[in-house]
DNA sequence: ATCGCAGGAGAACGCCCGTTCTCCACCCAC
DNA sequence: GTGGGTGGAGAACGGGCGTTCTCCTGCGAT
């Protein structure tokens, strides 16, 4: 046996993640994933029967990783207010990664949203998961209208994500945090 | 003469705009633009010597149109505060367009940002133009730190742009307006 | 009337895509 | 040892890409 199935899957997903995220889904051919992962085309296709299938797996893994990174930042804080602000510190850390290129879901949606209902659905689910997390944090902080506060915080976060990608600077996370403080002051009981 | 040069250019740009915006730049071939515009491939290539060139023209025109739509909404208001809020009413109108699919610059940046410096530059310029407009409005409204307020308003706007695209609903513009009101209350002299 | 050339239709070119197939080397059960 | 199946390398396939080229029609200037 040349390679454990589990290992081969990891290597394919690692390569797919790096390439899809850096260059976009459409610009990366299966052959590029083959040579980056070292897994033969034949095996690649028995692990992931089509490119669309591999794209789904790529997005699924991104979603899980993103959620766990967010959770670890949030859970490092105890005060409800600082748990909310931890979201923006998570974003700042994320934006500082050397290869940061925006949100994989937004980028994939831009490429395939009209043509692949599955990608559109995964993007929506990813963002909805983030929304639920913010509603939870807003509720814990005692917001009078947690959904409203959560929506406001999402707008700041998504705005920071795209502005940071285009400008190449992590600073939008700090600006978003500033604005979040103002919104919390206005929306939370002192 | 079969077609005025100016007319042919318009038809090519109209077709490019519709197709590039709907399906993304990479997914649309020159042949699709040819048949949608009715302009022969030969003429198309003497009007725009390469696809990259046509993409630039597409983005340039989007930028000009976007700026003029924004300006006409803003200029319909006289009170400095409502001129700022007019930005979000402009967004709401935009999001309600049947074919709304997010910001062409964000989408193109996601597709080509790493591979085409020109596209990355045009995206940055477009967003910087928006930022300058918001700084101007914030200054006119008497903000103590106009750049700071403008950055906060940008985050809300960009967030609304992507959330509206992914969710398919124009509501994020209303949420963004709500949050903008809170930020204005906190940042402008009463 | 004839020349010249702009412009249309679409084939041609070289390349890359996603996917499948061929061929061959290897390794385990018997 | 031998058979069978797994998996590697890479060619093959059908199609689309951006771009250029060929061929032909039609019209304005001389």
């Amino acid at each position: 046996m040349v390679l454990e199935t589990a290992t081969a899957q990891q290597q394919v997903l690692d390569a797919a993640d790096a390439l899809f995220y850096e260059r976009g889904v459409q610009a990366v051919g299966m052959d590029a994933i083959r040579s980056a992962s070292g897994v033969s085309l034949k095996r690649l296709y028995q692990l992931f029967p089509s490119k669309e299938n591999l794209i789904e797996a790529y997005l699924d893994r991104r979603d899980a990783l993103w959620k766990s990174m967010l959770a670890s930042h949030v859970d490092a804080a105890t005060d409800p207010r600082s748990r909310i602000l931890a979201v923006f510190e998570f974003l700042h850390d994320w934006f500082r990664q050397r290869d940061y290129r925006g949100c994989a879901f937004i980028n994939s949606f831009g490429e395939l949203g009209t043509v692949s209902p599955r990608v559109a659905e995964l993007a929506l689910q990813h963002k909805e998961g983030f929304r639920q997390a913010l509603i939870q944090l807003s509720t814990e902080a005692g917001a009078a209208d947690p959904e409203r506060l959560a929506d406001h915080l999402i707008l700041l976060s998504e705005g920071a994500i795209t502005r940071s990608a285009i400008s190449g600077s992590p600073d939008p996370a700090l600006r978003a945090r500033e604005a979040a403080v103002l919104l919390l002051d206005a929306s939370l009981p002192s």
Side-chain angles (χ1 to χ4, degrees), chain A:
Chain A
M1 172 177 340
V2 179
L3 215 52
E4 291 286 353
T5 295
T7 309
Q9 257 199 48
Q10 281 302 319
Q11 286 181 262
V12 170
L13 285 174
D14 287 348
D17 188 83
L19 293 172
F20 283 163
Y21 183 64
E22 184 192 348
R23 304 189 211 157
V25 216
Q26 310 220 59
V28 173
M30 294 300 263
D31 219 61
I33 288 168
R34 174 191 101 126
S35 53
S37 66
V39 171
S40 75
L41 224 41
K42 193 183 205 172
R43 266 252 276 168
L44 208 167
Y45 269 94
Q46 71 194 40
L47 292 167
F48 303 94
S50 72
K51 188 180 182 183
E52 167 121 22
N53 193 299
L54 178 56
I55 293 172
E56 279 187 43
Y58 151 67
L59 291 176
D60 283 345
R61 217 178 60 146
R62 278 255 156 191
D63 181 60
L65 193 64
W66 195 87
K67 279 183 163 120
S68 85
M69 290 195 302
L70 173 63
S72 76
H73 273 78
V74 167
D75 290 343
T78 53
D79 172 48
R81 198 185 165 96
S82 49
R83 279 166 67 83
I84 290 180
L85 294 178
V87 171
F88 298 93
E89 281 134 30
F90 156 60
L91 292 180
H92 195 228
D93 277 8
W94 183 25
F95 299 168
R96 290 163 64 102
Q97 287 179 204
R98 200 169 22 268
D99 61 352
Y100 177 71
R101 253 207 12 106
C103 170
F105 292 86
I106 294 173
N107 293 345
S108 301
F109 182 87
E111 284 191 79
L112 300 174
T114 42
V115 88
S116 162
R118 189 79 189 107
V119 166
E121 188 189 357
L122 289 173
L124 190 54
Q125 280 173 13
H126 173 73
K127 297 308 184 187
E128 191 52 32
F130 183 36
R131 193 173 112 97
Q132 289 306 323
L134 286 175
I135 290 175
Q136 169 85 7
L137 292 176
S138 299
T139 303
E140 287 169 10
D145 188 342
E147 292 204 5
R148 193 174 114 117
L149 175 57
D151 282 346
H152 294 175
L153 296 172
I154 288 182
L155 294 176
L156 293 176
S157 305
E158 303 276 24
I161 287 170
T162 67
R163 271 201 72 75
S164 178
I166 287 184
S167 71
S169 153
D171 295 351
L174 304 177
R175 285 299 205 193
R177 199 195 122 106
E178 268 176 19
V181 168
L182 296 178
L183 291 179
L184 293 183
D185 288 345
S187 308
L188 291 186
S190 58

